[in-house]
Amino acid sequence: MKIICVILFITIIHNLAIGQETILMTYNIRYATESDGVNRWENRKESVIELINFYEPSIFGIQEGKQHQVKYIDEKLSSYSYIGVGRDDGEFGGEYSSIYFDTTIYRLTMASTFWLSETGNVGSMG
């Protein structure tokens, strides 16, 4: 939540200073599971990239992404970079809620991750 507030603050300041339109987008890409049948990731992944390219967001977030999905999006969208970690271990395990940003507009100066739980610096639930 804190990082989202920082990004929104930077976006607002950027718009005031430059007056450039900013497009924000969020996308629940749904994690990859074979039990999705015809809706499995292999059948959807190109459509995800096409939709993002169509809207050309300045910043977009994804939910439910597994590491290989996050990497796929990162590889296919060369003008974007992302921040985010897997929720299970704070590194690669579990689902990501990554935030991507257009590197032709923004540059990352600092990033961190915390959990809203009793062990805020360690991947956890609670």
Side-chain angles (χ1 to χ4, degrees):
M1 180 67 151
K2 188 175 184 181
I3 191 71
I4 292 172
C5 292
V6 170
I7 288 173
L8 289 176
F9 176 75
I10 290 169
T11 301
I12 291 167
I13 296 301
H14 180 267
N15 285 346
L16 291 175
I18 297 178
Q20 183 173 345
E21 179 182 62
T22 299
I23 299 172
L24 303 176
M25 180 176 159
T26 184
Y27 199 160
N28 185 331
I29 65 168
R30 182 159 167 75
Y31 59 89
T33 179
E34 289 301 313
S35 64
D36 281 346
V38 297
N39 295 317
R40 67 184 179 275
W41 176 246
E42 288 302 313
N43 294 341
R44 309 185 262 124
K45 65 184 184 180
E46 291 177 17
S47 297
V48 168
I49 300 302
E50 288 172 8
L51 188 68
I52 294 167
N53 281 328
F54 177 80
Y55 285 106
E56 299 178 328
S58 308
I59 298 170
F60 69 94
I62 65 161
Q63 299 84 43
E64 293 192 14
K66 294 289 200 159
Q67 183 186 25
H68 70 280
Q69 293 172 291
V70 171
K71 285 186 176 244
Y72 177 82
I73 293 169
D74 187 47
E75 290 168 2
K76 294 296 182 181
L77 300 174
S78 60
S79 66
Y80 290 88
S81 188
Y82 76 93
I83 56 174
V85 297
R87 73 175 180 184
D88 290 353
D89 59 7
E91 293 183 33
F92 309 111
E95 297 173 20
Y96 287 60
S97 291
S98 296
I99 300 171
Y100 292 78
F101 57 94
D102 185 336
T103 58
T104 66
I105 301 171
Y106 303 102
R107 110 183 125 81
L108 183 64
T109 58
M110 180 180 24
S112 65
T113 301
F114 65 93
W115 282 257
L116 298 175
S117 69
E118 294 176 11
T119 59
N121 293 326
V122 177
S124 57
M125 295 177 62

